[in-house]
Amino acid sequence: MDSKEFTAALGQLRQVREDIKAVRKELQRLEADRDKRIVALGMYEKAKADRIAPAAGLSVVDVVALVPHLGPRQRAAPTSATAQAEPADDGQAAAASPPLGPVGTLAPDLRRSEEPPATADSSGASLGEPVHAAGEGPQETEAEPVTDAASPAVDETAGQHDQDPVRAPAPATAPAAEQGRELPSIPAGERGDAWCVPTPNLASKRPNFTQQPRQMAFLDTDTGVLVHRDQTVRLDLGAASVSEILTAVYATVPDSVERIYITAGDPWHRDADRYPFLRDAVAAWLNAPVPGWSVESSRGKDRLAGHLVHPRNPVGRWQRGDQHTEIRSVGEWFDPAGADPATVRDAFVLLWKQLRHHWEDVTLMGSPSQTGRDLWSRTIPAKAGSRWAEGYPVMSEEIRGLLHATAGQGRTELIVPPRVPEKLPQLVEYDRTFAYAKHTWASGVGAPRRITAAAFAAKSEKEQTNALFAPSHWQIRVTVPEGWDHVGILPAPAAGDRAWYYPAEPGQTFTTWAGGAEVNLALRNPITPWRIEILDGLLWESGTPLRDWSTKLKDAWASLQALAANHGDERQRTAAHLASRAVRSILLYGIGGFAQRPRMTTRSVPVGCEHEIPAGAQIIGSDGETITWQRSTGFSRDPYAHPEWAAGVWSGARAALLSTRMREDDTFVGALHLPPGSVVAFRTDAIYTTHDPAWPYHGQPGDYLKKGHLPGPFTGPRTEEELLSLQTLGRAHLAEEQEGGQ
């Protein structure tokens, strides 16, 4: 290309730019028209968000953001005095009145409690002073999670069997609307109390064996480069089918290699354009015939046989006689960001070396979730006579199902006009560093105590305050204060499977479940307390089952971070950085592993053999030759299932996303410390805002790191895709700003 051609190409590029602007302008016009139509439809008295959403091509949460009154709200129960002063005129009027719902007890004013009655950690965080954590913590399962369909329906008498509770005064205004999704309740009386009895003969105990290591190989399916130990070769993988990969790899490495990590290439996406969903493409790739191999069915006590069909990080398991192998994505551990297989291998070596400083018998297992749980199990007290030396009890299947249905993970929310300006002056991204580690200082242990509304009413104010600062999970009726002009605090169930939204409209009333950290924050947030009625709850003894484990992981993370910053060799710096991300994944996914979703079985049958699909199964894909189905098999007798710990961490993370104190700087940070109307979005542990608060950053777990800055003005995002596009632009712009300032 010469100068003339370059100039001409620039002109063509400018024309493309103008065309893009025109298309975007037209798209914005259409989206604005769509939003107006949604708002107009929302004025219809029988309108429902879950009917409007598919017609608009949006999620229910997006529709509720545009028309807040379509979100989950209920009419608050009138006071006894009101009921007596305004009796029904006749029997027909009484019959027409809506049921009051379960009776609640008003929570105390926690602002009078200057110091929370809970042990603070080294960072100054306590159960009553929540600190935010990163990322939702998924566990390795056979399919995406589903709401527990067997969970009981709401029992309007729940929480009334101890004594007559105190009915809290009703708010002045609380417009009625249909609840988006009904959450389960604990049954009244002895049946519900029995839920609090742990599963018999099932407890988390320290293992008396050492995990056996499995040899690994690292393969880039784009380039064909394979690394095993110190050996590097280039393979001809053809179309990179499972059969071609296994044939080429085992022609080069010994049969003792049992894990093949794909570092780049994503071969399971090669035919993605043939399928409506990535999951279908992945299932077809995994289930293609592999001559000489069969899908692994079992191996001793290993229950993770068969394939894991995941759209991004699938796991394939095969066997050939006594030989077993897995093909996995290294993306389970970290984003390699273009690192070659040798650097990825070095990252795993550095990870193992750092963890070995704290666990002499450390073995890197297939996934960070498995590794995290195994490392945690080796911190369980073993000394005879010590507390919990006999193991941590596992909750009943009913409590596990309740927590699965009522304890969400990270907060994901996009806020749109009129709650934010149409044109944003700028967009700043603040993201917390390794933040889950800030929520593992104290957790609930032992059998939970049920605290009904009556039992809560019978407590003294001090006892009520102590309960709300302890590890707990509460069923509550919530009313947003009059005059509230900021983001929502507590999650409410939206229509859709495991969907949540955050009511913020003044006077809005809804019933939900929330962890103690969030309830605590709602009662003593920095703006004005929310009105909380306790309907029912679970209260645990405060213990430290995760503290030793998370402290060791934080130490390993800090050492690798220092190595990444100071090593003289660029490859080793990259490897150390990747290894530090792997430590983060071990803690993040390890906590998610405690949640123990209902187990899903995924299988495939040839077309024409539909009669072999069991009753209750769901068809999830078909390529014309095979049909893939999945079915929930309920909760297994997993000795390491502790959803109460995962729920506590997630609740603390969501609460601290809104407000927490940095004691070393005597500064409060979080969304509620930003101006009203300035928060544009939440993505788990990140806040996107039009205001730059310049919060302190020391590189410690839980600190807010400024990761992006995009100057405006520009139209704010209306979809998640638009937010992610702005995120990419903001991060690139901030990097340029930082480079220019050096």
Side-chain angles (χ1 to χ4, degrees):
M1 178 180 292
D2 57 24
S3 176
K4 184 177 180 181
E5 291 173 329
F6 179 76
T7 302
L10 282 178
Q12 295 169 355
L13 183 59
R14 293 189 189 97
Q15 183 58 49
V16 171
R17 179 194 66 193
E18 296 305 315
D19 292 343
I20 291 173
K21 285 183 179 180
V23 171
R24 283 178 176 167
K25 186 175 181 180
E26 176 62 15
L27 177 61
Q28 290 169 4
R29 186 191 66 78
L30 290 172
E31 288 176 338
D33 181 56
R34 176 201 63 195
D35 293 348
K36 290 178 182 178
R37 293 174 184 271
I38 290 172
V39 172
L41 287 169
M43 296 302 104
Y44 176 52
E45 61 180 2
K46 295 183 179 180
K48 293 183 179 180
D50 57 345
R51 291 196 62 190
I52 296 175
L58 298 175
S59 70
V60 170
V61 174
D62 291 331
V63 172
V64 170
L66 289 167
V67 192
H69 71 262
L70 294 182
R73 292 184 294 181
Q74 297 175 338
R75 186 179 302 278
T79 63
S80 297
T82 303
Q84 293 172 2
E86 301 177 2
D89 291 336
D90 52 42
Q92 289 182 343
S97 299
L100 298 180
V103 180
T105 298
L106 193 64
D109 186 351
L110 295 189
R111 293 175 300 171
R112 293 195 290 267
S113 175
E114 295 184 0
E115 290 298 328
T119 303
D121 69 6
S122 57
S123 69
S126 72
L127 293 176
E129 184 173 304
V131 286
H132 158 57
E136 55 189 271
Q139 66 171 354
E140 182 175 9
T141 65
E142 295 299 329
E144 294 300 307
V146 297
T147 302
D148 183 15
S151 298
V154 172
D155 183 341
E156 293 185 356
T157 64
Q160 300 183 43
H161 61 86
D162 287 335
Q163 66 180 64
D164 291 332
V166 175
R167 187 187 292 277
T173 59
E178 184 176 348
Q179 184 100 353
R181 183 175 85 254
E182 193 173 52
L183 296 178
S185 293
I186 304 175
E190 294 182 358
R191 178 170 166 244
D193 294 340
W195 285 21
C196 294
V197 178
T199 303
N201 305 314
L202 190 65
S204 304
K205 298 182 179 180
R206 192 182 185 113
N208 56 7
F209 63 91
T210 301
Q211 293 284 359
Q212 295 302 308
R214 299 183 184 179
Q215 289 192 40
M216 311 175 191
F218 302 91
L219 175 65
D220 182 334
T221 59
D222 277 339
T223 64
V225 172
L226 174 75
V227 172
H228 171 240
R229 300 195 176 204
D230 295 330
Q231 178 185 12
T232 300
V233 296
R234 188 178 296 273
L235 307 178
D236 181 2
L237 299 176
S241 66
V242 173
S243 179
E244 290 168 313
I245 289 174
L246 294 181
T247 299
V249 168
Y250 286 108
T252 306
V253 304
D255 292 352
S256 55
V257 172
E258 296 185 61
R259 288 196 189 111
I260 303 169
Y261 279 112
I262 305 300
T263 64
D266 297 343
W268 38 82
H269 292 163
R270 293 289 172 93
D271 294 328
D273 56 346
R274 294 175 49 196
Y275 299 90
F277 302 104
L278 276 180
R279 185 184 182 85
D280 296 338
V282 172
W285 187 84
L286 289 171
N287 291 303
V290 186
W293 296 82
S294 61
V295 177
E296 185 178 63
S297 57
S298 65
R299 184 175 0 172
K301 296 182 179 180
D302 186 357
R303 293 171 298 173
L304 289 178
H307 302 322
L308 169 63
V309 181
H310 188 280
R312 294 174 301 281
N313 298 315
V315 180
R317 301 182 179 95
W318 295 269
Q319 62 185 65
R320 181 173 60 181
D322 293 334
Q323 182 183 359
H324 298 263
T325 191
E326 294 180 332
I327 295 179
R328 311 186 73 112
S329 169
V330 79
E332 292 181 274
W333 293 86
F334 47 73
D335 178 2
D340 59 57
T343 303
V344 173
R345 173 206 58 198
D346 291 348
F348 275 83
V349 172
L350 287 173
L351 172 65
W352 179 82
K353 288 181 177 179
Q354 282 298 331
L355 293 177
R356 196 167 185 271
H357 291 316
H358 304 286
W359 288 275
E360 291 185 357
D361 55 352
V362 60
T363 297
L364 296 182
M365 304 184 71
S367 70
S369 174
Q370 295 170 300
T371 304
R373 190 166 71 170
D374 181 67
L375 294 178
W376 172 78
S377 70
R378 298 174 192 281
T379 65
I380 298 174
K383 185 177 180 181
S386 61
R387 190 76 190 278
W388 309 115
E390 297 302 314
Y392 292 102
V394 173
M395 299 298 99
S396 67
E397 186 168 337
E398 292 82 3
I399 291 295
R400 282 181 277 159
L402 178 75
L403 290 169
H404 171 71
T406 62
Q409 298 186 29
R411 177 170 181 168
T412 301
E413 182 181 19
L414 180 61
I415 302 172
V416 298
R419 293 176 59 193
V420 295
E422 288 280 353
K423 292 287 187 178
L424 304 184
Q426 63 176 342
L427 189 64
V428 185
E429 177 190 4
Y430 273 91
D431 186 53
R432 295 194 80 198
T433 299
F434 196 26
Y436 262 18
K438 297 287 287 185
H439 296 277
T440 54
W441 194 256
S443 305
V445 291
R449 285 189 294 139
R450 184 182 184 185
I451 308 295
T452 64
F456 192 82
K459 292 179 178 293
S460 67
E461 184 171 328
K462 181 178 180 181
E463 289 172 331
Q464 291 179 346
T465 299
N466 288 344
L468 292 170
F469 276 101
S472 52
H473 193 60
W474 301 96
Q475 186 181 31
I476 52 179
R477 183 184 294 115
V478 184
T479 301
V480 182
E482 290 298 330
W484 185 263
D485 64 352
H486 221 297
V487 297
I489 292 180
L490 292 166
D497 183 26
R498 291 182 63 79
W500 302 90
Y501 109 106
Y502 294 82
E505 186 177 344
Q508 196 167 354
T509 297
F510 59 97
T511 299
T512 190
W513 283 84
E518 291 167 284
V519 175
N520 190 298
L521 175 65
L523 290 168
R524 64 188 191 108
N525 71 80
I527 301 173
T528 187
W530 284 34
R531 186 179 186 277
I532 307 290
E533 295 172 66
I534 302 297
L535 305 177
D536 211 340
L538 298 169
L539 182 66
W540 284 269
E541 174 188 343
S542 182
T544 59
L546 305 178
R547 183 186 297 181
D548 186 31
W549 173 70
S550 65
T551 298
K552 291 177 177 180
L553 290 176
K554 282 188 286 186
D555 288 346
W557 174 83
S559 297
L560 289 166
Q561 285 283 94
L563 190 63
N566 300 312
H567 201 288
D569 181 78
E570 182 178 356
R571 167 172 280 183
Q572 289 302 302
R573 287 199 302 272
T574 300
H577 171 70
L578 296 179
S580 73
R581 300 296 292 172
V583 173
R584 175 188 177 276
S585 295
I586 288 173
L587 189 138
L588 176 71
Y589 295 117
I591 290 172
F594 288 125
Q596 196 217 22
R597 298 184 182 95
R599 190 168 178 81
M600 302 296 293
T601 299
T602 303
R603 294 288 184 269
S604 295
V605 297
V607 172
C609 297
E610 290 84 353
H611 62 280
E612 298 180 11
I613 300 176
Q618 176 187 8
I619 306 299
I620 61 173
S622 176
D623 61 1
E625 298 180 358
T626 61
I627 300 172
T628 304
W629 56 267
Q630 69 178 19
R631 182 179 62 168
S632 173
T633 56
F635 292 95
S636 63
R637 280 183 59 86
D638 184 352
Y640 298 111
H642 289 286
E644 68 277 15
W645 297 347
V649 170
W650 295 335
S651 177
R654 292 190 299 269
L657 187 62
L658 301 176
S659 179
T660 190
R661 182 185 177 193
M662 297 182 68
R663 288 183 181 268
E664 62 272 27
D665 298 285
D666 193 23
T667 300
F668 283 91
V669 297
L672 293 180
H673 301 280
L674 296 169
S678 68
V679 177
V680 176
F682 295 99
R683 279 184 61 82
T684 309
D685 57 340
I687 300 173
Y688 298 81
T689 173
T690 60
H691 176 76
D692 189 349
W695 287 327
Y697 183 74
H698 306 292
Q700 297 300 313
D703 286 357
Y704 273 102
L705 172 64
K706 184 177 179 180
K707 294 187 70 174
H709 173 227
L710 185 63
F714 51 83
T715 301
R718 300 294 188 271
T719 65
E720 183 180 12
E721 291 74 16
E722 291 180 2
L723 176 65
L724 293 176
S725 296
L726 294 175
Q727 176 199 77
T728 300
L729 294 172
R731 291 181 178 181
H733 186 270
L734 179 63
E736 292 178 0
E737 287 182 331
Q738 293 172 338
E739 289 177 2
Q742 292 178 354

